[in-house]
């Protein structure tokens, strides 16, 4: 086999691996660019096989680690921030990591989030307002103490950062809608479509929402429809949204009246709960 064919086949193999890695990382823009390079390389290979003439220079091989490397340049707090912005709700570390894996490049582990939350509070107390945003815990609607299992963003309203009796379900449905919208947008983009991790994440939401799962026809499973998930989640959320918002608004009113600025972000101290309840 001639040298040009060897070079093209090596390039095609490298590009295919890079596309797979980019898709797994959720980097649809990068995957689209790599697919275009792959198509050019395959056309050049066909031209060499079909016509005995020199082939165009093969595309420069793309390092397999390129998609992950670009995302890994961001600090962990940025990874968490964009995952939370996609969800639009307080979220547990496991869900944040799942959203990041589904839609963004780079690595993020749940173990990083524990120390990250402590660092955020220390940074705020040492220099309040120095950062454009802080990662902070959600607040319990009754005691206004921190719910450390759930992470929020300081720029969100108090109502959005408070967890009332119905909030876990409302936030779950909101997250399902936002993930379904992101999957739908990926499917319509010019890239490689939603990543396998994104489809698995959407499936985990859908199985816990009535009427969101596809119905099998003639014994065959049909693909999960993001719009069906959105419609089903919205239908249930319409039942709970008003009551949930009322509980959150009342808690936010008490928080603004009773808590200092730092406590509105990181929660009331446990020893001050009785006193705060009396003042409310």
């Amino acid at each position: 086999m001639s040298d040009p064919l060897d070079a093209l086949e090596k390039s095609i193999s490298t590009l295919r691996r890079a596309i797979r890695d980019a898709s797994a990382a959720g980097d649809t823009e990068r995957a689209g660019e790599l697919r275009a390079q792959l198509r050019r390389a395959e056309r050049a290979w066909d031209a060499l096989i079909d016509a005995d003439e020199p082939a165009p220079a093969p595309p420069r091989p793309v390092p397999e680690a390129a998609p992950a490397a670009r995302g890994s340049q961001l600090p962990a707090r940025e990874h968490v921030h964009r995952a939370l912005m996609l969800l639009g709700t307080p979220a547990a570390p496991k869900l944040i990591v799942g959203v990041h894996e589904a839609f963004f490049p780079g690595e993020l582990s749940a173990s990083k989030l524990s120390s990250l939350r402590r660092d955020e509070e220390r940074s705020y107390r040492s220099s309040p307002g120095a950062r454009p945003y802080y990662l902070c815990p959600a607040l319990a609607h009754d005691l206004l103490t921190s719910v450390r299992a759930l992470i929020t963003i300081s720029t969100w309203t108090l109502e959005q950062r408070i967890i009332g009796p119905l909030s876990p379900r409302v936030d779950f449905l909101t997250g399902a809608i936002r993930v379904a919208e992101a999957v739908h947008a990926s499917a319509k983009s010019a890239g490689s479509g939603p990543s396998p991790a994104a489809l698995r994440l959407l499936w985990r939401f859908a199985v816990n929402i009535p009427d969101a799962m596809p119905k099998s026809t003639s014994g065959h499973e049909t693909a999960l429809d993001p719009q069906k998930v959105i419609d089903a989640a919205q239908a249930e959320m319409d039942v709970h949204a008003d009551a949930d918002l009322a509980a959150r608004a009342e808690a936010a009113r008490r928080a603004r009246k009773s808590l200092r600025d730092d406590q509105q972000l990181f929660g009331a101290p446990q020893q001050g709960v009785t006193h705060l309840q009396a003042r409310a």
Side-chain angles (χ1 to χ4, degrees), residues 12 15-16 19 34-43:
I12 288 170
L15 284 165
R16 284 173 174 164
I19 290 169
L34 294 171
R35 284 181 181 277
Q37 293 182 35
L38 177 61
R39 287 192 293 270
R40 289 194 294 269
E42 289 173 336
R43 285 197 297 268

Side-chain angles (χ1 to χ4, degrees), residues 93-111:
K94 183 177 180 181
L95 177 56
I96 292 171
V97 171
V99 170
H100 180 269
E101 289 177 349
F103 297 104
F104 303 107
E107 295 184 1
L108 178 66
S109 64
S111 61

Side-chain angles (χ1 to χ4, degrees), residues 250-262:
E250 170 58 22
R253 182 195 65 78
R254 289 189 290 110
R256 292 186 179 99
K257 178 181 176 182
S258 304
L259 302 183
R260 302 191 308 266
D261 288 347
D262 62 323

Side-chain angles (χ1 to χ4, degrees), residues 139-176:
L139 303 182
H141 75 102
D142 49 358
L143 304 180
L144 302 178
T145 51
S146 63
V147 182
R148 295 195 176 275
L150 298 173
I151 303 175
T152 73
I153 303 173
S154 62
T155 53
W156 290 352
T157 64
L158 262 172
E159 287 81 356
Q160 195 173 1
R161 293 187 285 110
I162 284 174
I163 301 299
L166 295 171
S167 300
R169 186 58 183 174
V170 169
D171 286 348
F172 177 87
L173 296 169
T174 301

